[in-house]
Structures are given as C-alpha cells and as structure tokens.
Amino acid sequence: MKMKYTDVGIVAIFYVICGLFFAETMKLPAESQTYPKFIVIILFGLTTLYLIQMIMNAVKNGTESGASDFEGFQAKQFFVCLVLAFVYILAVINIGFYVSTAVFLVVSLFFLKVKPLYIAIATVALLLLIYGAFTLFLRVQLPNNILF
Amino acid sequence: MLSTLSVMGQGFLHAMSPINLIMMIAGVAMGIIVGCMPGLSAAMGVALMLPLTFTMQQDTALIVLGAIYCGAIFGGSISAILIHTPGTPASAATAIEGYQMTKRGQAGKALFTACYASFWGGLLSCISLYFFAPLLAELTLKFQSAEYFWLSIFGLTIIAGVAGKSLVKGLMSGALGLLLSTIGSDPGSGMPRFMLGGNSYFYDGINVTCALIGLFSMSQVFMLAEKKITERAQASKVTDKMSLTREERKMIRPTIVRSWIIGNLIGILPGAGAAPRPRTTPSPAAP
C-alpha cells in the first residue's frame, strides 16, 4: 500500500490535538492529570506508530497524492455549506431557533439551486412540524433568544 | 413456583384487558414519535409523557410508560435507518448498517427487521426479567470497579473488529474518543476539565445525542455537500418488500438470541443503559 500525502494532514491534526490536550492537562491539579495524560500519551504513541507505518510504506511502495479521494469535490459548495452550518449554530443560540432555521433553510436551499416553490414548502412544512411536535405536543423548550 | 406462575398469569390477563391494550398501543405510538426525533431519548420521552399518566390506574400508567420506552427505543431506529441520524443513542449501530440498506433501496426491509428484532428483543427480555432477575441481581452485586474496567476494555476491543484496513487508525480514533470523554467534570475530584473556560454546557461531558448527530447526521450533510448535484432525486415506485423471507428470518434468528443474551448481561449493569448493547453485539448484517 502506497503512502498518501493526505494522511500527513491526519497525523498533523492528531499531533495538534495531543499538544492542545497535553497543554490543558498540565494546567489541572496533579490528581486530575493522571487519566487525561495517560490517554494523551497513548494517542501520541499511536499517532507516531502510524507515522512510522506511513514512512515504511513510502520506502517500500512509494507515494501517491491521495487526490483521487477528492475526485469531484465541490470546494465552493462544500465550504459555503460548512460556513452556513457554523453561522446557523451561532444564530440558533443568539437569535432563536425558528427564525434562524427559516433563514438557514431558505439561504442554503437557494444556494443549492432548489426551486423557490420547493424551498417555501420545505421550510414551512418543517417549521410547522417542529412547532407542532416539540412546542405544542411535547412542550419541549427550543432555543429562543432575542427573536421568537 | 406455582403461585408465582399463577400471579404472573393473572397479571398477564389483566394486561390484556381492552383499556390496557388501547393504552399500550397509544403509548407505543407516542414512544415511536418521540424516539424517531433525534435529540429526544427514550428516558426523556417517559419524562415528557409522565403527566399524562397521573389520572390513570397505577397498572395502566406503568403499562403506558413501559410502552413509551419500548416504542422510543424502536423509534430511534427509524431515523437511523432512513436519514442516518440515530433517534436515540441505542440505535447508533442501526444507523451504520440500516442506512446502507436504505441506500440499496431496502429501507422497508431494514425497518421491518428493526421492528422484528425489537419485538423479539422486548419479549425475550421480559421473560428474562420474570425468570432470571433474582439470579442476575446477585451477579450484578458482584460487579465492582475491576469488572467495570474489564467491561470497558472489552468494549474497546471491538475497535479491532470495526477498524477496517488500518488497525492503528482505528485505535487512534478510539483513543481520540477516550480523550474527548475526559471533557467535563472529573468523576474522582469534581475538577472541571477542558470545559473551554468553565462553559457549563460541558459540565457532564459531551452530550451523547449531540455527538451522535454530529458524527452521523452532520457528516452525511457534508458528504452530500461536497458532491456535485447532477440530478434531482425523483420519487419512484417503491418495489422494496417489507416482510422477511423464511430464509432471512432463519438467518437473523441466531443474532436475536445472541443479542438477547448479551443485552441481558449488559442491561443488568447499573449505569450501562441501552446504548452500549448494539455496539457489543456482533452483527452478521455488516457489509
């Protein structure tokens, strides 16, 4: 099996996670440090083991870019959806569930080139369903802040 | 023994009275609705429906609450199978295999299998409760920290089975999961750990339902978002059969029995709940 260059990113992310958690662990009192430190060391060891396996694969079988995994990747579509999802999470907390969900659905479906009639039906139907099920039937509190 | 059987028989006949049967069906229906909504667990469904039972007879109320719980556990598999989002933590494993069947156009069969397995699981576990509860209770009392530790180790060994091509990658994912489980208050000292500046949302750690929605549902959203939309899905005539053939029933029978035994052993442990059971039960349906 050839070494994929994209796996270098995975290794780097895991090392960053190990570093962040280790730094935070050192701020804890000694009695609370043991278990997280143990797990961080295990994760660090496994990541290093994976790195060694990658290097051995590179020496034995050569390398490949790993770009084939991203064939057909729609960068603009993906990153816009990702940003919209993050904005939606922040909006739910700060604005309220119903308004932010309505805006999120309309904007994201419009961006994905769904017909306006379908957008309207999907948004109204979903919000009515959630309102009926959660607010009226189950009386579960949904996030609400400055707006309904 | 005979008197116990007599009391059980009386209880069974009483449970079969028309009012109890109607309330049982209503309870299961409500439970399914609650369970198939991601974010609402079976226990939360019981808590939400509790006020409805205040005016009922005690036995009817208990039947309704039991029905809601069982319905919710099954209901969780509906959203898990259809939209790859487990309705309850107990249906996390169903999302993996059930959604694969949906993608192959076998959603009906997957739903019926979940219903069939839930029926037999519920029935067999009731029989276990009747006959084995006293024995299992004694066994449970012998469970101490060491046994819980080994049970956790046993759970982690499952990583080897689901790791795929790279075992090290699987172990890395497992270790990352363990690391994320340290977020929240330290069970030993009560010290807050990794709570992003004392954020109270993380006091009990990362919520299991939120984690499942993030892992299964959001990942599905982003996987769809990265692909080019070449054509809109068109509703076509469903040819999928819901019922199982005799061979399929025969094939899943050993899994039901095996899952029943494992479920009993794990279910009697205090604090384990329904969530770990599907992941500790090997499935022949795995692709």
Side-chain angles (χ1 to χ4, degrees):
Chain A
M1 199 168 67
K2 288 181 179 178
M3 188 201 100
K4 285 182 184 174
Y5 280 118
T6 44
D7 281 354
V8 176
I10 295 174
V11 169
I13 289 168
F14 270 86
Y15 276 132
V16 168
I17 291 170
C18 286
L20 286 173
F21 270 88
F22 189 77
E24 287 296 312
T25 304
M26 296 315 285
K27 292 177 190 169
L28 296 172
E31 66 270 18
S32 298
Q33 283 183 7
T34 317
Y35 180 65
K37 211 190 275 180
F38 174 68
I39 301 292
V40 168
I41 290 167
I42 286 179
L43 186 59
F44 183 85
L46 285 167
T47 311
T48 309
L49 184 64
Y50 187 61
L51 183 66
I52 293 167
Q53 276 188 351
M54 276 169 57
I55 294 166
M56 282 168 69
N57 278 335
V59 173
K60 265 188 195 169
N61 308 317
T63 58
E64 61 176 310
S65 67
S68 58
D69 294 345
F70 293 91
E71 212 169 36
F73 179 68
Q74 298 291 305
K76 185 183 159 193
Q77 189 176 288
F78 175 77
F79 285 112
V80 169
C81 287
L82 188 69
V83 169
L84 281 173
F86 275 108
V87 171
Y88 172 62
I89 292 166
L90 292 174
V92 165
I93 299 165
N94 295 304
I95 298 172
F97 176 79
Y98 288 106
V99 175
S100 46
T101 302
V103 173
F104 173 71
L105 281 174
V106 171
V107 172
S108 56
L109 292 176
F110 188 75
F111 172 73
L112 293 169
K113 297 187 180 68
V114 177
K115 287 178 185 168
L117 179 67
Y118 294 167
I119 296 176
I121 292 170
T123 308
V124 172
L126 190 79
L127 288 175
L128 281 177
L129 182 75
I130 292 171
Y131 182 73
F134 283 82
T135 307
L136 296 182
F137 179 55
L138 296 171
R139 299 183 191 282
V140 175
Q141 176 111 30
L142 292 170
N144 50 13
N145 207 291
I146 49 175
L147 288 170
F148 172 72
Chain B
M1 182 67 186
L2 213 63
S3 63
T4 310
L5 285 174
S6 163
V7 172
M8 277 166 57
Q10 282 174 21
F12 184 72
L13 284 176
H14 185 65
M16 288 292 124
S17 65
I19 183 70
N20 284 343
L21 279 177
I22 291 167
M23 296 313 289
M24 200 187 298
I25 293 166
V28 169
M30 283 189 282
I32 291 173
I33 293 169
V34 170
C36 69
M37 289 181 193
L40 293 181
S41 63
M44 205 187 284
V46 171
L48 287 167
M49 300 296 180
L50 196 62
L52 298 178
T53 62
F54 286 166
T55 53
M56 294 176 191
Q57 295 279 334
Q58 284 177 346
D59 44 2
T60 310
L62 284 171
I63 286 170
V64 169
L65 293 176
I68 291 168
Y69 188 86
C70 293
I73 293 289
F74 163 67
S77 55
I78 295 176
S79 55
I81 289 166
L82 297 180
I83 58 170
H84 202 222
T85 305
T88 56
S91 53
T94 314
I96 300 167
E97 289 163 12
Y99 187 67
Q100 292 303 320
M101 287 181 75
T102 300
K103 287 208 287 192
R104 291 200 298 261
Q106 295 178 313
K109 190 157 274 186
L111 286 170
F112 185 80
T113 309
C115 184
Y116 184 75
S118 295
F119 168 76
W120 281 109
L123 192 68
L124 292 171
S125 58
C126 279
I127 294 168
S128 304
L129 188 71
Y130 271 129
F131 292 103
F132 305 125
L135 295 170
L136 294 175
E138 278 180 34
L139 181 72
T140 310
L141 291 174
K142 289 180 180 148
F143 253 74
Q144 303 293 328
S145 306
E147 284 79 10
Y148 277 113
F149 172 76
W150 285 111
L151 183 72
S152 308
I153 294 292
F154 167 67
L156 291 173
T157 58
I158 292 165
I159 293 170
V162 295
K165 285 179 190 170
S166 173
L167 180 63
V168 181
K169 254 187 187 176
L171 291 172
M172 279 164 67
S173 308
L176 181 65
L178 285 176
L179 198 58
L180 292 176
S181 74
T182 60
I183 294 173
S185 67
D186 177 7
S189 64
M191 186 74 198
R193 292 188 303 207
F194 318 126
M195 283 167 59
L196 304 176
N199 196 326
S200 59
Y201 284 118
F202 295 116
Y203 192 76
D204 289 328
I206 296 174
N207 184 290
V208 177
T209 310
C210 295
L212 289 175
I213 291 172
L215 282 171
F216 290 100
S217 188
M218 291 310 288
S219 63
Q220 189 64 29
V221 168
F222 292 128
M223 275 158 69
L224 289 172
E226 71 178 35
K227 287 175 189 159
K228 191 175 182 182
I229 301 166
T230 49
E231 58 180 30
R232 299 280 168 203
Q234 295 291 321
S236 57
K237 196 182 170 190
V238 178
T239 53
D240 176 28
K241 279 184 184 171
M242 284 195 81
S243 59
L244 299 171
T245 61
R246 187 178 285 180
E247 286 73 33
E248 284 168 337
R249 282 171 205 257
K250 205 175 164 185
M251 194 176 75
I252 62 172
R253 213 173 288 154
T255 310
I256 289 176
V257 174
R258 197 165 47 225
S259 309
W260 166 53
I261 295 166
I262 296 172
N264 275 318
L265 291 174
I266 296 174
I268 54 169
L269 302 176
R277 272 175 257 175
R279 281 182 288 267
T280 46
T281 309
S283 164

